[in-house]
Amino acid sequence: MSWGYKPNNGPQKWVENFPIADGVRQSPIDIVPGQASYDAGLKPLDLKYDPSTCLDILNNGHSVQVTFADDTDSSRLTDGPISGLYRLKQFHFHWGASDDKGSEHTVAGTKYPAELHLVHWNTKYASFSEAASKPDGLAVVGVFLKIGGENPNLQKLLDAFDTIKSKGKQTSFANFDPSTLLPGCLDYWTYDGSLTTPPLYESVTWIVCKEPITASSGQMAKFRTLLFSADGAAPDCMKTARVKNEDELLSKWCSSSS
Ligand code: B30
Ligand code: ZN
């Protein structure tokens, strides 16, 4: 059985096939702003994205992912907490079954309805797959989505969802500028962490934007029309929240009676 988000294959079970799940720099985490230390040496992020590197949009069975050509430096991240140049490989989202949960990171316990991840790899390595397991291999920019006005830039993606409803479906997605999904202010929190899904490599410099972007409740509902399941199988709506606290409650709480 492959990994997923159900009780029988979800985050609490991942350790059985991916022992690094018990590692020391696992993501996501709860970010407690008052406990973060101010680092005057941190530079502003320098993100440059070329819309012509945008290739396609894919339902990979655990998220919706937009993939970029990464054979040149045209779409890249520099500065911020990282050194060197990291190329954009893909972005994807995590969301919940309802608007009260869905983000992976939380801010002082607050869950957002969704979280966008822009995944970049360090060009000191030869490729994404080589970088993915290295301690300084990846830099992921996380952006929270909160409920607010309809987001026209997000809508361009959502309009493609009917075509990629089930697992394995893919369609071309040309000329999309991912910087249109970034908040106006690029202030961030950063820490050394991991991939939040298998293979859970401890290879990610996390850069989590403090300012969320907005999506309407109707737009959030559109995410939940995507399916984990392939065509022909029983439809199974995709919701990819780890819901960390609930997982922990399930596994750690004991009762003195049944
Ligand atoms: S995340 O940003 O920490 N959520 C991967 C990339 C970013 C994150 C998590 C995982 C990743 O590259 N996983 C391995 C590659 N995947 C393909 C993929 O791009 O999404 C292979 C796979 O499962 O078997 Cu999924
Ligand atoms: Zn992610």
Side-chain angles (χ1 to χ4, degrees), residues 19-33:
I20 193 65
D22 274 338
V24 294
R25 56 175 274 194
Q26 284 291 297
S27 297
I29 60 166
D30 182 41
I31 299 165
V32 185

Side-chain angles (χ1 to χ4, degrees), residues 202-213:
E202 295 190 328
S203 60
V204 180
T205 302
W206 275 98
I207 300 166
V208 179
C209 291
K210 295 184 179 182
E211 185 185 320
I213 59 169

Side-chain angles (χ1 to χ4, degrees), residues 88-106:
L88 180 66
K89 165 80 173 173
Q90 52 111 328
F91 70 77
H92 63 269
F93 296 84
H94 302 262
W95 61 92
S98 50
D99 290 349
D100 59 340
K101 57 184 176 223
S103 67
E104 298 209 296
H105 291 95
T106 51

